[in-house]
């Protein structure tokens, strides 16, 4: 096949079926990471060769990226033993690059290539075949409370297909969910992909309905592949009416796990809890990046709900798998901001910095800065 590069208009012109035909042979063989399927989302660009592919966004900035920077999503979708080789070829085309949310194997491959690598947080994984989906009051009270709430409120949860989805109801819940978030005027993407209500290969779509039969929430599960087969799922799209049902997403997850268990699936990945438990990581090469992550986790809740997300995911008591961020910049922390910008988490450097400083001042005022 040789090397193919799809950027700009060429990337936009790739239709869903065309993209699937091009990338799915690699994805189905090597797409074991939780965000591997998310590399298919609309808006990504691609470097494809005989070993596999990398998915990324291109970004320029008058201060931090005067020359175009490529922000790669997740691991290269290829055999792990080929990570270093495909990245070397990619860097010949795109010498200025950063990798967001990558595995330890990928992090190890990047370091000899001049990348500084830091732990960015962890993702919890649930062992489907042994997990207590009914919960208990000792260690899994989140599960127990979610089950009780769903039963008390008359919630019905079922898997739907693209043909049976109530698209208007799902869109309404999605809009309501966004309105309650720190970033509430737009859809962020890349690391948590936008919902797609059309048919998607191997994606599982679970929907919760209230006692009146109206959509109350939904979770879509992306497949994780190994050697051509789905061995698990990642809960990549989760949106619920949290003002009415605060634990609904957890109840949906447990219904899905019970169904996946009958099918012999292995894991449910709950995706990244960012900027926390950095000590889990084997690599923390850059002091500035580590400091930025720690400050963001402690004082950056005005940017994004880092603390709430981390606390919620910790309550599942899953296996904690460290994830990494890598950059070959002289100032890797600048690339963290560019990754935020690319994903629409922020739109202004001064806004991001201002919210972080405000968080510090507020904490100091409340006596919580220590």
């Amino acid at each position: 096949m040789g090397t193919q590069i799809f950027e700009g208009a060429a990337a936009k012109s790739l239709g869903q079926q065309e993209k699937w035909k091009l990338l799915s042979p690699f994805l189905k063989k090597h797409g074991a990471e939780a965000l591997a399927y998310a590399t298919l989302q609309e808006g990504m660009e691609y470097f494809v060769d005989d070993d596999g592919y990398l998915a990324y966004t291109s970004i320029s900035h008058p201060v931090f990226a005067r020359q175009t920077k490529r922000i790669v999503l997740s691991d290269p979708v290829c055999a792990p033993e080929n990570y270093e080789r495909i990245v070397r070829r990619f860097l010949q085309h795109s010498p200025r690059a950063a990798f967001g949310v990558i595995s330890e194997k990928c992090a190890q491959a990047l370091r000899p290539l001049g990348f500084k690598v830091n732990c960015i947080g962890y993702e919890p994984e649930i062992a489907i075949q042994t997990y207590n989906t009914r919960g208990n009051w000792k260690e899994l009270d989140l599960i127990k409370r979610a089950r009780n709430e769903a039963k008390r409120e008359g919630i019905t949860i079922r898997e739907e297909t693209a043909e049976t989805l109530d698209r208007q109801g799902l869109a309404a819940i999605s809009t309501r969910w966004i309105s309650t978030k720190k970033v509430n005027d737009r859809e962020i993407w890349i690391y948590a992909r936008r919902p797609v209500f059309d048919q998607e290969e191997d994606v599982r779509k679970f929907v919760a309905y209230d006692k009146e039969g109206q959509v109350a929430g939904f979770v879509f599960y992306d497949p994780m592949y190994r050697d051509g087969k789905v061995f698990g799922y990642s809960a990549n799209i989760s949106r619920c009416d949290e003002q009415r049902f605060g634990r609904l997403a957890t109840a949906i997850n447990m219904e899905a796990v019970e169904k996946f268990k009958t099918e012999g699936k292995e894991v449910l990945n709950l995706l990244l809890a960012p900027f926390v438990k950095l000590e889990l990581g084997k690599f923390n090469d850059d002091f500035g990046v580590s400091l930025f992550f720690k400050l963001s986790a402690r004082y950056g809740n005005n940017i994004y709900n880092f603390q709430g997300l981390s606390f919620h995911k910790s309550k599942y008591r899953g296996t904690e798998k460290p994830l990494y961020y890598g950059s070959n910049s002289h100032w890797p922390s600048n690339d963290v901001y560019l990754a935020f910008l690319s994903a629409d988490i922020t739109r202004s450097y001064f806004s991001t910095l201002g919210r972080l400083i405000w968080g510090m001042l507020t904490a100091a005022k409340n006596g919580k800065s220590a």
Side-chain angles (χ1 to χ4, degrees):
M1 179 177 64
T3 299
Q4 299 182 73
I5 298 169
F6 299 88
E7 294 179 346
K12 290 181 180 179
S13 69
L14 282 176
Q16 184 180 14
Q17 291 184 352
E18 188 179 4
K19 187 183 289 190
W20 180 256
K21 183 178 180 180
L22 175 69
L23 302 177
S24 64
F26 303 114
L27 181 66
K28 286 195 166 187
K29 189 171 184 181
H30 305 297
E33 292 301 309
L35 288 176
Y37 198 92
T39 61
L40 301 178
Q41 64 190 293
E42 185 177 351
M44 302 303 296
E45 299 175 315
Y46 301 98
F47 178 93
V48 189
D49 72 6
D50 293 330
D51 286 332
Y53 71 90
L54 290 84
Y56 55 92
T57 54
S58 300
I59 190 165
S60 299
H61 189 276
V63 177
F64 302 121
R66 294 184 179 182
Q67 294 178 296
T68 301
K69 178 86 63 173
R70 317 293 184 194
I71 311 292
V72 181
L73 172 61
S74 193
D75 293 8
V77 183
C78 67
E81 60 267 25
N82 292 330
Y83 284 166
E84 184 174 339
R85 185 164 58 191
I86 195 172
V87 172
R88 283 187 184 276
R89 290 197 289 263
F90 174 68
L91 292 176
Q92 292 175 4
H93 164 68
S94 303
R96 289 164 292 278
F99 284 70
V101 194
I102 57 174
S103 70
E104 194 162 284
K105 285 184 179 180
C106 184
Q108 287 177 315
L110 291 180
R111 296 176 87 230
L113 301 178
F115 283 79
K116 292 182 179 179
V117 173
N118 285 73
C119 183
I120 196 172
Y122 74 94
E123 56 186 7
E125 281 193 338
I126 289 174
I128 289 175
Q129 294 301 315
T130 58
Y131 197 75
N132 179 5
T133 59
R134 294 291 157 180
N136 56 51
W137 293 114
K138 184 178 180 181
E139 292 184 337
L140 294 173
D141 61 300
L142 174 73
I143 311 300
K144 192 72 173 178
R145 294 179 192 278
R147 288 292 202 179
N148 287 348
E149 179 187 70
K151 183 178 180 180
R152 182 175 64 251
E153 299 292 342
I155 297 291
T156 300
I157 301 169
R158 61 177 181 263
E159 185 173 9
E160 304 284 11
T161 66
E163 291 74 23
T164 62
L165 285 174
D166 177 358
R167 300 185 182 208
Q168 185 175 353
L170 267 62
I173 287 296
S174 189
T175 299
R176 192 176 308 162
W177 178 85
I178 291 172
S179 72
T180 66
K181 300 304 172 184
K182 300 291 185 182
V183 180
N184 57 21
D185 62 342
R186 60 190 181 272
E187 286 262 18
I188 64 173
W189 68 302
I190 301 180
Y191 307 105
R193 71 184 185 96
R194 302 174 180 122
V196 175
F197 300 146
D198 295 324
Q199 174 65 28
E200 297 178 285
E201 188 78 18
D202 291 329
V203 176
R204 310 288 289 272
K205 303 176 191 282
F206 284 74
V207 182
Y209 302 88
D210 63 21
K211 55 188 175 183
E212 282 79 37
Q214 301 299 309
V215 174
F218 62 92
V219 183
F220 295 170
Y221 300 92
D222 287 352
M224 297 161 63
Y225 294 104
R226 183 196 303 127
D227 294 328
K229 295 182 179 180
V230 177
F231 74 93
Y233 293 94
S234 63
N236 206 338
I237 302 166
S238 180
R239 300 188 175 184
C240 297
D241 188 345
E242 296 170 344
Q243 293 178 322
R244 293 174 64 201
F245 312 110
R247 303 178 181 90
L248 184 53
T250 299
I252 299 174
N253 283 337
M254 294 304 100
E255 288 290 331
V257 167
E258 289 187 348
K259 188 163 188 179
F260 299 155
K261 183 176 182 178
T262 67
E263 301 166 355
K265 300 300 187 288
E266 299 174 27
V267 299
L268 173 66
N269 189 296
L270 297 172
L271 296 179
L272 176 67
F275 308 153
V276 295
K277 299 191 177 183
L278 304 183
E279 69 280 359
L280 291 176
K282 186 177 180 180
F283 309 116
N284 280 293
D285 295 333
D286 187 79
F287 174 78
V289 169
S290 290
L291 180 62
F292 180 79
F293 288 167
K294 290 175 182 177
L295 292 176
S296 295
R298 187 154 196 170
Y299 305 113
N301 246 36
N302 288 323
I303 302 171
Y304 196 79
N305 187 23
F306 299 121
Q307 293 177 4
L309 190 63
S310 172
F311 177 77
H312 175 76
K313 293 189 178 188
S314 70
K315 296 286 281 182
Y316 282 93
R317 311 296 185 196
T319 300
E320 297 174 349
K321 175 184 173 184
L323 294 173
Y324 297 85
Y325 154 86
S327 168
N328 63 1
S329 169
H330 292 299
W331 300 98
S333 56
N334 290 342
D335 286 353
V336 178
Y337 166 69
L338 293 175
F340 277 23
L341 189 66
S342 185
D344 247 355
I345 295 171
T346 186
R347 289 179 171 172
S348 164
Y349 177 82
F350 293 106
S351 173
T352 301
L353 184 62
R355 290 184 180 192
L356 193 59
I357 292 173
W358 178 252
M360 293 178 186
L361 293 174
T362 302
K365 183 179 180 180
N366 295 333
K368 297 179 181 179
S369 59

